[in-house]
Structure formats: structure tokens, C-alpha cells
């Protein structure tokens, strides 16, 4: 039955409908989303760990005429990097900093598998060299078995010399693997168990090598000795250097276009480097634009283990940086002024959300869930059960952000994380809100979040970039 024109018009006027980016935008705008996503893929390939992400941005900052606030800082574009693992980047606005800043915080760590501090041994029964591991963040352990893996990280020698390691990404590099059990023998060991218990942390050992030390093949631990000898030749390290090293196991290989129309990207660590990249690009695009308010991009570490540590969002780092911005701008920076600055500030807690997965639609309520390709998601609250541990953004601030997005023609949608009582989660928002600022969760949806290969939409990547630019300009 065809509806009357009047009904159609009334529906258009009154009913909320999230808009599909590809349907809603011109060919030109769609092309911009594709072009923007090309550089994003390169970024993902170069930034598979927290340290690599910081290195990537440090290079961009130096090339982009930002100055280190602790060194030769002058002018409006400044940054600080702390312990090679987190960073804050700012453009000082025309208004005093004390009137409040517009800040976007994302995290640059991703779920992964770390090497234990004493990782290497020779397995007695198989005579294989193995590396013991300790997973980091919320992973499904079975996803990491029997898939090619790379080792990224650093050895730091006792004299302070840092040795970068990256094995498994170049096409001539070897890769590594944690071999899974064959189905034929998995009946008791795995199939009778719950999926979360079928792979234990102790099963996640990496096969590292298999040839004995050539000069003395019969020696005890000759395979382990050979592994150490190869490492010593290549990096000048001894076994003791493992004890202080930070070596991270990640899926080997590059981010790829996904889908026959190439509209999506499949790649590791998009939670939350998708927000790190889009927020930094938004800020870089506004240098020299004379912003009203000071704009800050904050790239935090350790979100996946609760925002802990001196490089995580619970640390004093960002507060200290804002105090130094006040000082840099020749304003008061006593504790009362700093407190007021924070209370006057507005923050987007930029993290990904779970988009509806066609394989598992039942965990979401579709009216309140994020849809891939429909733009950035505004998440008023996260948390679990009765909104436990959530920030729950104020309606006034939420509405203001929606107004800005609409004015700047950003595709956006509302997005809760799954059905109530289905599970839940949270991120940085609540820690930022403790300082008194307005905060809302705001980021794109992903499919297969926290898996080895997360799926994003080019529409959402570009919409997120547009949304963050709009916030810096008009927030
Ligand atoms: Zn995240």
C-alpha cells in the first residue's frame, strides 16, 4: 500500500532515521572517504604497537612544524611525548586556555600477546625452541592459534641503548606461530570444554626455532643455544636482555581492503588506532586556522588493561600538560586555575563501539546499536548492567555535539554497546570526567572488535575524521 505524500513528509519530519553514508553522500564525498582511508592503512601497517604509533606521530609532528613544549616551544602548535608511549598534541586557540579546551582522547594500545620476561626454552619432548607468552587485554585466545605472527618491540641494554625489533612484517622475514591442536585429537582436550577454556594461557607458546647449535649439536639445550646465538649475531643481545625487554606478538601482515566494493578495511589494532589517526589528522588539518578554543589530541596507552600506569589515562600526564599549556600561553597556572580550566573543558572519549554483526545480531538491540557504514557513533553511556561504571554524558552536552555534527554534515548515529544484561564494557570517559569536564564517548563501530583482524568501514573512518574536525572548530 502506497503512503500518501503527507504521511511521507510527516515521517521524514518526525522520525529519527540513521543515514547510510554511501546513500546519503555524493560520489565526490564517497571518493574522499576512499582516498582518506588509503593513508590510514599505511598508518596501521607502521603502527602495530604503542611505541610504533608514537614514533609515527612524532615524525609527523616534526614535519608539521609542531614544537616540543619541553624544548624550543614557541607559537601555537606544541606537543609532549612521554616515555615513548603516550602523547598530547595541542593547537592553542585565540581564547585563554583557562576558558576550557576541546580535547579528544583515544588509546594507542591494542589487545595482543606479550613475551614473558624469561621466555625462551627448549622443549624437552619436541626439541623445539619455544617462547612463553602472557596475553595483554581482552582476547579470545583461540583466535591466536595457528595464524602467522610477528614480533615487535624493544630490548633495552643495561647501558640504556635501545634496540628496536620487528620480525615478520617484511615479505622476506620469517613469521612465528602458536600451533593449535588438530581436530582429530581435540575431542577430549578441547571439544568437551567451554570455548573460553579450550585454549589455556599455557597453550600459547610460540615455536621459535628447531635447529641445534651447529658447533655442538649434542650439547644440552643446543636448540635454545642456537636461538640465542642467532639473536646475538643480529641484535647483540644475551638472554638476560629479555628480562627487561618489551616484546609484543601481533598478527603478521598488512591491513587490506575488504569487500568486493572495497568499502571496508580489515586490519589489526583498529581499536583504537582508528580514533588516534582520525583525531590527529583532524588536528593537523586545522593548523594555521586560528581556532577559538585550544584543541588537544591525547593519545593514551594501557586502556586495554584499565588505563593504569604512568602512560595510561588515569595518570597525571594530561593534567600536567594542560597546566604547562596555561604557562606556555602566559596565563596563571596555579591549581585553582587548572581545576577551573578542566571543569570548563569538553572531551570526546574517542573509542570504537561494537557494530551489529550479521553473524550474531542477537546480542544487540538494533534500534540502539551501531551500524557499519552509518557514520560515527555517539554513545551517551557505556558500562554494564544498570549503567555501572559509566560516565553517562549530560543531555546538554550530548545535544550540543549533535548540533555541531548536523551543521557540519557529519553522518552520525547513536550507539549503545550491546543489549542491557548482555555484557558491557567501558573506556576512558569516566576517568576524564573525574576532572569535571563534559565528556561523551564518540567513535566508529567495528565488527570483530578485539579479534586479530577488525573490520571497519571507510564511510565511518571518514565520518569520524569529519566529526573530530567539527568538534575542534565549533565545540
Ligand atoms: Zn578501545
Amino acid at each position: 500500500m502506497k503512503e500518501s505524500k503527507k504521511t511521507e513528509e510527516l515521517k521524514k519530519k518526525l522520525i529519527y532515521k540513521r543515514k547510510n553514508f554511501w546513500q546519503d553522500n555524493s560520489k565526490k564525498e564517497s571518493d574522499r572517504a576512499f582516498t582518506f582511508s588509503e593513508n590510514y592503512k599505511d598508518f596501521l601497517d607502521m603502527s602495530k604497537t604503542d611505541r610504533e604509533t608514537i614514533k609515527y606521530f612524532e615524525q609527523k609532528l616534526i614535519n608539521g612544524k609542531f614544537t616540543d613544549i619541553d624544548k624550543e616551544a614557541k607559537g601555537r602548535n606544541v606537543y609532549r611525548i612521554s616515555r615513548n608511549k603516550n602523547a598530547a598534541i595541542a593547537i592553542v586557540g585565540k581564547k585563554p586556555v583557562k576558558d576550557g579546551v576541546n580535547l579528544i582522547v583515544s588509546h594507542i594500545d591494542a589487545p595482543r600477546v606479550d613475551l614473558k620476561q624469561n621466555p625462551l626454552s627448549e622443549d624437552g619432548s619436541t626439541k623445539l625452541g619455544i617462547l612463553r607468552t602472557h596475553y595483554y587485554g581482552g582476547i579470545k585466545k583461540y583466535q591466536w592459534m595457528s595464524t602467522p605472527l610477528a614480533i615487535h618491540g624493544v630490548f633495552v641494554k643495561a647501558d640504556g641503548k635501545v634496540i628496536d625489533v620487528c620480525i615478520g612484517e617484511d615479505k622476506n622475514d620469517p613469521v612465528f606461530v602458536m600451533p593449535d591442536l588438530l581436530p582429530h585429537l581435540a575431542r577430549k582436550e578441547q571439544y568437551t570444554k567451554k570455548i573460553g577454556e579450550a585454549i589455556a594461557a599455557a597453550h600459547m607458546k610460540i615455536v621459535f626455532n628447531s635447529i641445534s647449535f651447529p658447533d655442538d649439536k649434542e650439547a644440552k639445550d643446543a636448540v635454545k643455544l642456537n636461538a640465542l646465538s642467532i639473536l646475538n649475531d643480529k641484535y647483540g643481545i644475551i638472554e638476560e636482555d629479555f628480562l627487561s625487554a618489551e616484546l609484543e606478538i601481533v598478527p603478521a601482515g598488512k591491513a587490506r581492503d575488504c569487500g568486493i566494493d572495497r568499502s571496508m578495511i580489515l586490519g589489526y589494532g583498529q581499536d583504537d588506532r582508528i580514533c588516534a589517526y582520525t583525531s590527529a589528522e583532524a588536528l593537523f588539518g586545522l593548523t594555521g586556522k586560528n581556532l577559538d578554543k585550544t584543541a588537544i589530541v591525547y593519545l593514551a596507552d594501557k586502556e586495554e588493561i584499565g588505563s593504569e600506569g604512568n602512560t595510561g589515562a588515569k595518570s597525571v600526564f594530561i593534567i600536567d600538560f594542560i597546566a604547562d599549556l596555561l604557562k606556555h600561553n602566559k596565563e596563571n597556572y596555579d591549581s585553582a586555575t587548572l581545576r577551573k580550566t578542566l571543569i570548563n573543558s569538553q572531551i570526546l572519549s574517542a573509542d570504537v563501539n561494537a557494530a551489529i554483526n550479521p553473524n550474531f545480531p542477537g546480542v544487540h538491540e538494533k534500534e540502539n546499536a551501531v551500524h557499519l557504514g552509518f557514520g560515527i557513533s555517539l554513545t551517551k553511556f557505556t558500562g554494564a548492567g544498570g549503567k555501572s561504571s559509566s560516565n553517562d554524558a549530560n543531555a546538554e552536552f550530548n545535544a550540543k555535539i549533535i548540533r555541531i555534527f548536523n551543521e557540519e554534515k557529519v553522518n552520525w548515529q547513536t550507539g549503545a554497546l550491546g543489549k542491557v544484561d548482555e555484557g558491557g564494557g567501558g573506556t576512558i570517559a569516566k576517568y576524564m570526567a573525574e576532572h569535571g569536564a563534559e565528556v561523551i564517548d564518540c567513535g566508529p563501530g567495528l565488527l570483530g572488535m578485539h579479534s586479530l583482524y577488525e573490520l571497519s568501514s571507510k564511510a565511518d573512518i571518514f565520518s569520524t575524521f569529519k566529526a573530530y574536525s567539527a568538534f575542534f572548530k565549533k565545540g
Side-chain angles (χ1 to χ4, degrees), residues 107 109 271-272 303-304 350-352 426-427 449-450:
H107 67 93
D109 62 323
D271 173 8
D272 181 32
E303 190 272 345
E304 299 295 356
D351 206 346
V352 297
T427 174
M449 191 202 291
H450 282 211

Side-chain angles (χ1 to χ4, degrees), residues 97 99-103 293-294 296 322 325 341 344-347:
V97 175
D99 288 2
V101 302
N102 289 330
L103 185 148
K293 283 200 203 161
T294 294
I296 303 177
I322 293 171
L325 275 184
T341 305
N344 292 337
S345 292
Q346 305 178 107
I347 300 178

Side-chain angles (χ1 to χ4, degrees), residues 19-289:
K19 289 179 187 148
N20 181 287
F21 177 92
W22 306 115
Q23 289 173 3
D24 191 41
N25 285 282
S26 64
K27 162 95 171 49
K28 200 172 147 209
E29 196 69 352
S30 298
D31 287 348
R32 285 181 71 200
F34 270 77
T35 310
F36 185 85
S37 301
E38 284 306 304
N39 292 335
Y40 170 63
K41 277 184 289 176
D42 293 340
F43 159 75
L44 285 179
D45 295 340
M46 291 165 77
S47 310
K48 284 195 164 181
T49 66
D50 37 5
R51 286 172 186 268
E52 288 173 358
T53 310
I54 290 298
K55 253 193 191 157
Y56 173 93
F57 284 119
E58 186 171 25
Q59 207 47 56
K60 285 214 118 184
L61 289 164
I62 294 164
N63 298 341
K65 309 208 167 36
F66 280 76
T67 53
D68 186 334
I69 196 161
D70 299 310
K71 289 182 188 155
E72 73 287 30
K74 49 187 179 303
R76 296 185 172 281
N77 308 336
V78 292
Y79 72 93
R80 170 177 288 152
I81 290 173
S82 165
R83 298 180 165 90
N84 304 310
K85 288 185 180 175
N86 70 352
I89 313 164
I91 300 177
V92 178
K94 284 183 287 190
K95 289 186 176 167
V97 175
K98 75 167 170 40
D99 288 2
V101 302
N102 289 330
L103 185 148
I104 301 180
V105 55
S106 61
H107 67 93
I108 55 169
D109 62 323
R112 60 176 194 253
V113 176
D114 289 340
L115 289 194
K116 282 190 173 172
Q117 291 326 116
N118 187 5
L120 181 63
S121 59
E122 179 170 328
D123 180 69
S125 51
T126 59
K127 296 288 172 204
L128 292 169
I130 56 122
L131 294 172
R132 288 176 291 260
T133 66
H134 192 148
Y135 62 93
Y136 172 98
I139 62 164
K140 286 173 149 179
K141 299 188 200 85
Y142 67 84
Q143 294 177 339
W144 288 76
M145 307 303 285
S146 290
T147 187
L149 300 168
I151 302 178
H152 293 235
V154 292
F155 286 104
V156 183
K157 301 284 287 181
D159 65 3
K161 188 176 169 224
V162 178
I163 301 155
D164 288 307
V165 176
C166 177
I167 317 169
E169 300 296 351
D170 188 275
K171 71 178 187 335
N172 298 314
D173 278 357
V175 291
F176 306 93
V177 73
M178 306 173 190
D180 199 359
L181 185 59
L182 65 169
H184 316 65
L185 297 178
R187 200 182 299 165
K188 278 205 212 109
E189 183 71 30
Q190 292 182 330
Y191 291 166
T192 56
K193 293 178 180 162
K194 287 184 183 152
I195 196 166
E197 292 160 5
I199 302 287
H203 293 132
M204 300 177 73
K205 293 191 200 97
I206 289 171
V207 173
F208 194 52
N209 72 314
S210 65
I211 299 178
S212 310
F213 186 60
D215 293 351
D216 189 356
K217 291 180 188 160
E218 300 307 316
K220 187 170 179 295
D221 285 341
V223 175
K224 173 179 170 176
L225 188 63
N226 198 35
L228 285 171
S229 165
I230 294 168
L231 290 169
N232 187 262
D233 287 347
K234 201 167 157 58
Y235 301 107
I237 59 122
I238 58 173
E239 189 175 21
E240 192 178 272
D241 293 322
F242 272 109
L243 273 64
S244 56
E246 289 182 349
L247 296 166
E248 304 176 5
I249 309 299
V250 298
K254 293 181 186 308
R256 312 271 299 264
D257 280 348
C258 187
I260 193 70
D261 56 4
R262 309 183 85 100
S263 60
M264 296 164 281
I265 291 177
L266 189 72
Y268 167 72
Q270 300 196 69
D271 173 8
D272 181 32
R273 295 183 190 122
I274 194 168
C275 294
Y277 182 79
T278 45
S279 60
E281 282 297 312
L283 191 74
F284 295 154
L286 294 168
T287 52
K289 287 276 197 302

